[in-house]
Amino acid sequence: MTPVPADKTLTALQLAHCASEPIRVPGAIQPHGWLAAVDVRQGSLIAYSVNWTALLPSPGDLLPARIQGALDPVIAGRHALIDGEGPVSCGALTIGGRRLHVSGHRLGELAYFELEPDAEDAGARAPIYSLARHLVPLMQRTGAVGELCRVVVTEMKRLTGFGRCLAYRFDADGHGEVLAEAADPGYDLYAGHRFPASDIPPQARELYRINHIRLIGDANYEPVPVRFVDGRDAATLDLSQAALRSVSPVHLEYMRNMRTLASMSVSIVVRGQLWGLVSCHDHAPRQLSWQTRMACEHLGQLLSLQIEAKEENEQVSEQLRLRQLTLAIVSQLADSDATLQRLVDEPGPLLRLGRAAGAAVILNDRCWSVGETPDHDTLLELGQWLAHRVDQVWHSDRLPVEAPSLSGSMGAMTGLLAISISRLHRHHIVWFRPEIAQTIVWAGDPRKEAAAGPHARLSPRRSFASWKEHVSGRSLPWTPGEIHAVRELRQALIGIVLRRAEEMAEVAMELGRVNKELEAFSYTVSHDLRAPMRHIAGFVDLVLEMEGEALSARAQRYLAHVKEASAHAGQLVDALLDFSRMGRSAIKHGSIHTDHLIEDLIAEQNTLTKGRAIEWVVQRPLPRLWGDPLLLQVAIRNLVSNAVKYTRPRELARIEITGIEDETGTGLSVRDNGVGFQMKYVGKLFGVFQRLHQNEAFEGTGIGLASVRRIVERHGGRVDAWGQPEGGACFSFTVPTRAMLEAPSGDTPSLPSPRTDD
């Protein structure tokens, strides 16, 4: 694509001048007819075209009266004109020996009458009759919009006698794409070409929307000025509905550059918006009668209705297909745990809903994807970027332009459609489309040129030869139906999430009530059991002391077993009491110096295990923890004593303690070379009374690791375990730092969910 030379670059002022040209009030008409404007209330002449002297030779001061007298039969019926509607036929008049057709329309308090040479009534051969009898059934039998347009341009070319007739529609950027064409030999062909939006400025488009037909009989015409009877400036007379309205000199130059001396445009208006145009061209001047022009306007209206009906049928079919996909997605999610990452488990409906190559679910610092998507880090960056968008649904088919900061990492993905599920979290569902490079064929270089010199003006392009542009960085655009479908999906997903949240809240309330009852029960039972256990041990001691010599060896052995069992039961009761207190006591946060704590615990264990060879490996410095000093001391003591206990079979026990600092917080890891365990039982380790080894081999109550888990989870942390039979075990935990707990709610890092393996 050849760049525009520096001396040909258009200025913003020139472009603004083109877009603001006063085409509604040109102050002139085309010379093949006559115009008169009459006051609706008084019936007096207000303005007229100066060419009336060809019909009514008269001195200038008598001409207005002669015009009004000639139009008196028409003026008498001015009440039939409806304000704002297009021109209607007012019959025929003979003035100055010439038979003229009169059409009229009304704008505000003025009635406009336009006179043109009249044609004989064609009866059954009239254009309207031909349309009703032959063309309408043919249009109804067409399938696609392109086929419908081909039928219409063929008929309009036959009806008007123009050398070329084409139909084109406007895209989202205002460019016109030619859908159908019929042309005589010697005419340039534009099928498949595009005309740039700058060919038809915004004010001209608005005129096409309200005035559905415009004929320019000769591009070389000399405009005929319009005068007000009272001498006002004629440029204030609104001619937007006038068929004779003079057009912009720039447009006439455009026509001549295109080798078109006569043109007619018929608007295609769908749902109140300008959808496209049917445009007729001829190398020679050509005029059309009122009847033929009205037939063409009616043909344009029929085409508009047919296009609207076909598009609505396509939209209904598309909406039905997309709604079925939405229902499939919602049903799939409702049958699961309702977490949105389940959407990627069965990705077919999700991808078809957006006709996408890939999709992803982004939740804060996590994401799940399927199909062709950017990498994990880019998806998280995209989630951050989307979090600053205020729209619930955001879409683009040219992402490198609208999000240049992401373009370098998005790869081939240039189309993005995203919905936001939550206003509090970065929770998005995203669809991706790849780049589709394409070549657009323009009818001439679409860039307008500015003439050089002190009196430079904006000029239309001089060539309409095929000009190719290679377009990249775009994907297929997202259709309104697809955007509406994902909006519906968003509402459905929010409903599911809210419903599941309510169910979980009810379950949580019930679990809380049950837990409190269980804690109260365990506290009561364990408290009430302490005294009987002590009594049993005490009475056993009394029997042995008082009757020991009279008892047999077997009886003494049995009593020793009873005392040992009661002592174990007492330890179990004490452990249950401690466990129940952990769920009720308030957490008092403080800074914990773990280096000192570990030194004390190692010294304590060395005292309790005299005669054992234990190698302690401490990776210093250990991190400081933020939590309840008493509770965390209990948790760490349980992990250390657990490692000491299960390394007893080793000649040299090795226990390694290291610090942990990651995105979940800070904590400790305790690794040993003991008997280990099978990972398939890892979920049982942290349950109350869950033991993986026989009581005879290793003593204990089965509550120590359950206590660790309860303490850590009450701090908002997490516990992990790893083991291998005869290969040792590793237990670790982390709790949130002080900064995490005290950060503002919008900046608080997401805390990990508690384990639910058991």
Side-chain angles (χ1 to χ4, degrees):
M1 193 167 63
T2 306
V4 179
D7 59 345
K8 296 292 186 180
T9 302
L10 299 178
T11 67
L13 182 61
Q14 289 171 318
L15 290 173
H17 174 74
C18 178
S20 61
E21 192 174 1
I23 59 176
R24 289 174 178 258
V25 287
I29 64 170
Q30 299 179 53
H32 62 275
W34 296 263
L35 173 73
V38 176
D39 185 283
V40 173
R41 293 169 299 181
Q42 300 177 2
S44 58
L45 184 68
I46 300 298
Y48 59 94
S49 57
V50 299
N51 60 346
W52 275 90
T53 54
L55 291 177
L56 300 170
S58 179
D61 55 345
L62 297 179
L63 184 58
R66 293 283 304 276
I67 295 173
Q68 185 168 345
L71 290 178
D72 276 345
V74 180
I75 294 173
R78 65 185 180 274
H79 60 277
L81 305 180
I82 300 176
D83 188 12
E85 292 195 359
V88 298
S89 178
C90 297
L93 286 178
T94 300
I95 301 177
R98 301 180 64 172
R99 180 180 173 83
L100 304 171
H101 176 269
V102 184
S103 62
H105 66 278
R106 177 179 173 180
L107 287 178
E109 299 302 321
L110 290 183
Y112 295 76
F113 298 103
E114 298 177 84
L115 288 71
E116 300 175 67
D118 193 27
E120 296 294 332
D121 187 359
R125 295 180 291 105
I128 294 291
Y129 181 81
S130 174
L131 291 178
R133 182 171 182 180
H134 302 291
L135 186 62
V136 172
L138 186 60
M139 293 173 67
Q140 292 175 334
R141 290 195 295 269
T142 58
V145 171
E147 181 184 359
L148 175 64
C149 289
R150 283 191 291 273
V151 169
V152 169
V153 297
T154 301
E155 176 63 18
M156 196 169 290
K157 181 180 180 302
R158 183 197 65 79
L159 194 64
T160 63
F162 276 89
R164 177 177 57 221
C165 184
L166 53 86
Y168 59 91
R169 68 176 167 199
F170 299 118
D171 63 16
D173 296 322
H175 305 309
E177 179 184 4
V178 178
L179 302 179
E181 183 178 42
D184 291 337
Y187 280 82
D188 295 330
L189 301 180
Y190 297 114
H193 287 58
R194 295 194 188 186
F195 288 83
S198 57
D199 281 4
I200 307 178
Q203 77 274 28
R205 291 172 186 269
E206 180 60 16
L207 267 185
Y208 279 125
R209 190 185 67 82
I210 62 176
N211 191 349
H212 295 171
I213 187 168
R214 186 210 63 188
L215 173 69
I216 301 174
D218 186 352
N220 291 314
Y221 76 83
E222 290 292 332
V224 175
V226 174
R227 288 180 182 170
F228 275 100
V229 172
D230 59 8
R232 281 179 287 160
D233 183 4
T236 61
L237 184 66
D238 187 352
L239 298 179
S240 55
Q241 290 278 21
L244 293 173
R245 176 179 58 84
S246 186
V247 299
S248 165
V250 175
H251 182 72
L252 295 177
E253 185 179 350
Y254 176 95
M255 290 177 58
R256 293 191 291 268
N257 292 345
M258 199 178 184
R259 295 195 304 137
T260 297
L261 292 186
S263 75
M264 182 181 70
S265 297
V266 179
S267 304
I268 306 173
V269 179
V270 176
R271 289 181 288 274
Q273 301 299 318
L274 185 63
W275 185 93
L277 292 174
V278 177
S279 188
C280 301
H281 308 139
D282 205 284
H283 288 164
R286 175 174 293 275
Q287 294 291 346
L288 297 179
S289 67
W290 165 267
Q291 292 84 355
T292 301
R293 296 206 309 273
M294 289 304 99
C296 291
E297 184 176 357
H298 286 306
L299 180 54
Q301 292 172 345
L302 290 173
L303 175 60
S304 300
L305 292 173
Q306 287 288 322
I307 289 175
E308 184 170 343
K310 291 183 185 302
E311 287 189 345
E312 287 182 350
N313 287 337
E314 291 176 359
Q315 289 177 3
V316 169
S317 300
E318 180 72 356
Q319 287 176 1
L320 179 60
R321 181 186 71 84
L322 294 172
R323 184 155 295 173
Q324 289 173 340
L325 291 172
T326 302
L327 291 175
I329 295 170
V330 172
S331 175
Q332 164 198 336
L333 198 65
D335 292 339
S336 67
D337 59 5
T339 54
L340 296 189
Q341 56 264 37
R342 300 296 181 191
L343 291 173
V344 301
D345 291 346
E346 296 182 21
L350 185 68
L351 293 177
R352 291 200 299 274
L353 183 71
R355 287 190 301 160
V361 177
I362 304 172
L363 173 57
N364 293 326
D365 296 325
R366 294 179 292 167
C367 63
W368 302 265
S369 61
V370 64
E372 300 177 24
T373 64
D375 59 39
H376 178 272
D377 292 340
T378 302
L379 289 176
L380 295 183
E381 184 182 357
L382 175 62
Q384 293 275 8
W385 187 85
L386 288 171
H388 294 88
R389 309 275 81 77
V390 296
D391 299 333
Q392 298 173 346
V393 179
W394 192 89
H395 63 91
S396 173
D397 60 351
R398 55 194 79 179
L399 197 58
V401 175
E402 301 199 40
S405 61
L406 297 175
S407 60
S409 55
M410 294 296 290
M413 298 301 153
T414 58
L416 177 69
L417 174 61
I419 57 176
S420 172
I421 302 299
S422 171
R423 293 184 179 273
L424 299 178
H425 303 281
R426 298 190 302 275
H427 203 169
H428 306 278
I429 300 174
V430 189
W431 291 263
F432 297 95
R433 282 181 180 171
E435 175 187 28
I436 296 181
Q438 57 181 322
T439 299
I440 298 177
V441 182
W442 296 94
D445 188 339
R447 300 165 301 178
K448 290 187 176 182
E449 294 183 352
H455 304 290
R457 66 177 179 84
L458 191 63
S459 300
R461 60 183 185 277
R462 295 173 176 81
S463 172
F464 291 84
S466 297
W467 190 85
K468 294 183 178 180
E469 178 186 14
H470 300 286
V471 178
S472 59
R474 287 189 179 183
S475 70
L476 285 176
W478 307 94
T479 67
E482 290 163 345
I483 297 170
H484 178 73
V486 300
R487 197 182 298 274
E488 284 189 337
L489 176 63
R490 176 183 180 273
Q491 296 299 327
L493 294 181
I494 290 176
I496 291 176
V497 170
L498 290 177
R499 185 172 68 251
R500 187 56 56 93
E502 291 175 355
E503 294 172 357
M504 294 298 291
E506 292 178 1
V507 171
M509 290 177 62
E510 181 63 17
L511 285 176
R513 185 186 64 79
V514 171
N515 279 336
K516 288 182 179 179
E517 291 179 356
L518 287 175
E519 287 178 0
F521 175 76
S522 64
Y523 180 81
T524 301
V525 170
S526 58
H527 183 273
D528 292 346
L529 283 175
R530 293 182 74 185
M533 290 300 102
R534 289 174 180 173
H535 289 163
I536 292 172
F539 283 121
V540 168
D541 288 337
L542 286 174
V543 169
L544 289 174
E545 181 181 345
M546 297 172 61
E547 307 291 338
E549 295 180 358
L551 295 175
S552 65
R554 177 183 295 180
Q556 290 182 0
R557 187 169 65 253
Y558 287 165
L559 288 173
H561 289 331
V562 171
K563 183 176 180 180
E564 182 181 342
S566 65
H568 179 74
Q571 293 174 1
L572 185 60
V573 167
D574 290 339
L576 280 172
L577 277 172
D578 291 339
F579 187 75
S580 63
R581 289 192 191 103
M582 292 174 191
R584 299 194 310 273
S585 60
I587 293 179
K588 300 177 181 179
H589 283 86
S591 180
I592 304 169
H593 198 304
T594 52
D595 275 321
H596 297 162
L597 176 60
I598 292 298
E599 288 177 1
D600 294 341
L601 291 177
I602 291 175
E604 177 184 299
Q605 291 298 324
N606 286 336
T607 302
L608 296 174
T609 58
K610 288 182 179 180
R612 284 190 57 189
I614 301 177
E615 179 187 358
W616 296 93
V617 180
V618 181
Q619 303 290 344
R620 302 181 188 277
L622 297 176
R624 285 180 175 268
L625 303 182
W626 180 253
D628 189 300
L630 180 60
L631 291 179
L632 286 180
Q633 180 182 4
V634 171
I636 297 171
R637 174 180 281 109
N638 283 340
L639 292 181
V640 171
S641 62
N642 200 64
V644 170
K645 178 170 60 176
Y646 288 104
T647 56
R648 187 181 301 151
R650 303 292 181 252
E651 290 185 6
L652 176 62
R654 189 177 192 275
I655 301 175
E656 182 178 356
I657 302 174
T658 59
I660 300 175
E661 294 187 36
D662 57 23
E663 68 277 0
T664 64
T666 57
L668 296 177
S669 168
V670 180
R671 180 183 295 271
D672 63 64
N673 63 340
V675 296
F677 57 87
Q678 296 184 29
M679 285 298 293
K680 65 180 179 180
Y681 299 123
V682 69
K684 294 184 176 181
L685 286 174
F686 297 99
V688 180
F689 305 131
Q690 297 292 335
R691 299 174 57 86
L692 302 186
H693 303 281
Q694 295 181 355
N695 290 347
E696 293 80 2
F698 299 99
E699 74 285 351
T701 61
I703 299 178
L705 290 179
S707 299
V708 172
R709 176 178 176 178
R710 171 168 285 199
I711 290 170
V712 171
E713 287 185 354
R714 289 203 64 202
H715 282 77
R718 61 181 298 165
V719 183
D720 290 299
W722 172 90
Q724 182 178 354
E726 300 303 324
C730 178
F731 293 86
S732 63
F733 74 90
T734 57
V735 293
T737 64
R738 182 174 186 176
M740 289 179 174
L741 296 175
E742 296 180 355
S745 58
D747 301 329
T748 303
S750 57
L751 300 179
S753 301
R755 293 172 58 94
T756 56
D757 300 330
D758 58 334

